[in-house]
């Protein structure tokens, strides 16, 4: 699984200063790379909505923040995204998808199947990527959209990109 | 619910004025909603970012700002209801431990914007103890003018993260409203802090 390295390289190219995350299996490698980097501040959250407000605060202070989360966390962000929409803060989230491909856990389906629509209703521009070879280019494009184009955007990383979770079955 | 907050000696508008005037280079995030009006009454300024929504987000907005501006003092001033809605963010701040961040909760034990209904601090919840339990080494409760004046230097220059509950009187006050244009609030803040190139 090399695509996390490609996203990390895109973070470095874009000059990302802060990376907020809720621990996630699909993002594990990327999160560890961010923690290990001396210039990136890696911020572990108790819930995803914290990262939305953190990201706005970072921009107020002149820094670039990105958010890493799982599709189940999108629902936790909704009201806080009004801050992004109302103030037109740049915002970017990298969302690992559940509820798509060989999903073992039915509890992941409601949020996994509505992630894209939910984010679009909240005002974000949403892109999706399924081909591991395309992740790096898509990551660079979404970061550009946020920090140069000053938009709020999310890149959905297909469940096909992450190892299938089977709960030992 | 207890009515004790109606007799608390500190008045929130006075507290805001004292905090705002303590340091003219301090960056301030105020939470929905009464602390917005308190700081606007004390003196509207580009270095104040008032949150008209995003309830529960004030502390995290302060953290993002404090991490981005380690050489500046950042203060989050918010209410007890707003703090309760984002209570987990105190653990997130404690883990990051920014030295330049102070959080002041103006605790009148009420939801002021919705009709002065009791928050959980009116009965059982202790926010200073909670902050301590979530990892803040430096917490406390300020109840009087004397305690506030004694703490002022520490709140504005001491090593953070600092967390204080400031018990303020539950009292009816006039609205003193800042701009509600979020884009304007964002741009004026960034321009004042980062210069014209940030626009």
């Amino acid at each position: 699984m090399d695509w996390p390295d490609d996203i990390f390289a895109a973070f470095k190219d874009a000059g990302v200063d802060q990376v907020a995350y809720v621990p996630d299996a699909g993002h594990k490698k990327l999160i560890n790379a961010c923690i290990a980097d001396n210039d990136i501040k890696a911020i572990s959250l108790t819930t995803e909505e914290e990262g939305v407000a953190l990201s706005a605060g970072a921009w107020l202070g002149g820094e670039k923040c990105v958010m890493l989360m799982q599709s189940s966390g999108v629902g936790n962000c909704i009201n806080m995204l009004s801050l992004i929409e109302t103030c037109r803060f740049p915002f970017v989230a990298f969302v690992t998808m559940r509820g798509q491909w060989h999903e073992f856990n039915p509890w992941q389906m409601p949020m996994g199947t509505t992630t894209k629509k939910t984010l679009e209703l909240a005002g974000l521009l949403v892109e999706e990527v399924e081909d591991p070879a395309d992740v790096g280019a898509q990551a660079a494009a979404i970061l550009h959209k946020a920090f140069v184009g000053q938009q709020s955007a999310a890149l959905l990383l297909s469940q096909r990109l992450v190892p299938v979770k089977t709960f030992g079955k | 619910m207890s009515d004790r907050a109606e007799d608390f000696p500190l008045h929130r508008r006075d507290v805001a004025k004292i905090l705002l005037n303590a340091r003219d280079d301090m960056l301030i995030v105020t939470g929905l909603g009464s602390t917005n009006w308190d700081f606007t009454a004390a003196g509207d300024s580009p270095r104040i970012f008032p949150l008209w929504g995003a309830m529960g987000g004030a502390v995290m907005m302060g953290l993002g700002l404090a991490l981005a501006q380690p050489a500046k003092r950042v203060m989050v001033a918010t209410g007890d209801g707003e703090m309760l809605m984002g209570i987990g963010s105190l653990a997130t701040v404690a883990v990051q431990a920014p030295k330049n961040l102070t959080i002041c909760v103006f605790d009148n034990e009420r939801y002021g914007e919705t009709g002065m209904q009791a928050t959980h601090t009116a009965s059982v919840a202790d926010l200073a103890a909670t902050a301590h339990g979530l990892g803040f080494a430096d917490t406390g409760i300020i109840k009087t003018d004397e305690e506030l004046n004694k703490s002022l230097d520490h709140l504005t220059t001491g090593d953070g993260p600092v967390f204080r509950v400031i018990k303020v009187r539950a009292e009816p006050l006039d609205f003193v409203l800042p701009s509600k244009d979020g884009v304007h609030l964002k741009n004026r803040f960034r321009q004042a802090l980062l210069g014209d190139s940030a626009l």
Side-chain angles (χ1 to χ4, degrees):
Chain A
M1 210 168 80
D2 294 329
W3 59 264
D5 301 329
D6 300 335
I7 297 180
F8 183 74
F11 285 0
K12 297 301 289 181
D13 282 348
V16 169
D17 303 289
Q18 301 185 26
V19 176
Y21 63 93
V22 172
D24 168 56
H27 275 315
K28 188 174 178 184
K29 189 177 181 188
L30 178 57
I31 289 169
N32 286 340
C34 293
I35 291 170
D37 189 273
N38 286 331
D39 296 322
I40 287 177
K41 294 154 214 165
I43 299 128
S44 177
L45 311 170
T46 70
T47 178
E48 287 80 358
E49 69 173 327
E50 290 179 8
V52 180
L54 179 90
S55 178
W59 186 257
L60 272 190
E63 286 203 337
K64 295 171 187 153
C65 178
V66 304
M67 245 193 102
L68 310 180
M69 62 174 157
Q70 193 179 103
S71 49
S72 52
V74 168
N76 294 347
C77 297
I78 299 305
N79 183 54
M80 204 59 78
L81 286 169
S82 64
L83 171 64
I84 302 300
E85 174 82 0
T86 309
C87 304
R88 279 199 271 125
F89 279 107
F91 176 78
V92 61
F94 289 76
V95 183
T96 51
M97 293 303 298
R98 296 288 303 269
Q100 287 183 329
W101 179 257
H102 288 257
E103 178 59 65
F104 177 91
N105 181 356
W107 295 57
Q108 289 285 353
M109 297 306 292
M111 200 63 240
T113 53
T114 55
T115 295
K116 183 168 189 280
K117 282 183 187 165
T118 302
L119 287 171
E120 285 175 343
L121 282 171
L124 275 74
L125 304 170
V126 182
E127 305 285 346
E128 299 173 87
V129 60
E130 190 172 280
D131 178 357
D134 201 27
V135 172
Q138 290 269 32
I142 207 92
L143 290 163
H144 186 277
K145 198 181 293 263
F147 298 126
V148 181
Q150 301 204 354
Q151 304 296 306
S152 59
L155 181 62
L156 309 186
L157 299 152
S158 165
Q159 195 167 7
R160 291 188 77 163
L161 290 164
V162 301
V164 174
K165 189 172 179 181
T166 61
F167 293 85
K169 301 286 178 190
Chain B
M1 166 182 155
S2 142
D3 291 331
R4 63 190 177 192
E6 289 166 19
D7 296 319
F8 288 165
L10 284 172
H11 295 279
R12 57 188 310 138
R13 293 278 159 92
D14 297 339
V15 174
K17 197 174 290 179
I18 289 166
L19 293 174
L20 179 66
N21 293 332
R23 255 188 101 148
D24 62 10
D25 61 346
M26 189 162 65
L27 307 174
I28 301 169
V29 176
T30 57
L32 181 73
S34 299
T35 47
N36 289 342
W37 330 142
D38 298 335
F39 278 79
T40 305
D44 188 31
S45 160
R47 68 186 168 104
I48 305 172
F49 193 92
L51 286 160
W52 281 81
M55 189 164 172
V59 164
M60 287 306 296
M61 194 143 181
L63 177 61
L65 179 57
L67 292 174
Q69 290 287 330
K72 296 272 187 190
R73 192 70 185 193
V74 175
M75 178 175 283
V76 174
T78 191
D80 43 310
E82 206 274 348
M83 186 69 256
L84 284 163
M85 194 172 280
I87 200 73
S89 59
L90 291 176
T92 301
V93 169
V95 168
Q96 295 297 321
K99 287 193 183 309
N100 58 331
L101 180 63
T102 297
I103 299 166
C104 291
V105 177
F106 286 34
D107 183 4
N108 67 347
E109 307 184 349
R110 301 285 188 281
Y111 290 102
E113 297 310 301
T114 54
M116 298 298 267
Q117 298 93 335
T119 67
H120 295 344
T121 64
S123 51
V124 296
D126 178 340
L127 291 172
T130 303
H132 182 73
L134 291 175
F136 277 71
D138 190 350
T139 72
I141 303 176
I142 291 169
K143 293 180 175 171
T144 64
D145 271 317
E146 194 190 355
E147 288 168 359
L148 179 63
N149 288 327
K150 227 184 261 179
S151 306
L152 199 54
D153 188 49
H154 184 66
L155 293 178
T156 54
T157 63
D159 265 0
V162 177
F163 181 90
R164 289 292 181 280
V165 170
I166 305 175
K167 289 285 186 180
V168 294
R169 180 171 299 191
E171 57 186 338
L173 291 164
D174 293 338
F175 288 106
V176 184
L177 305 179
S179 168
K180 59 187 171 187
D181 180 339
V183 177
H184 168 69
L185 293 167
K186 174 192 68 175
N187 286 339
R188 74 171 194 171
F189 191 102
R190 278 171 54 88
Q191 186 177 28
L193 176 63
L194 306 166
D196 289 347
S197 64
L199 291 178

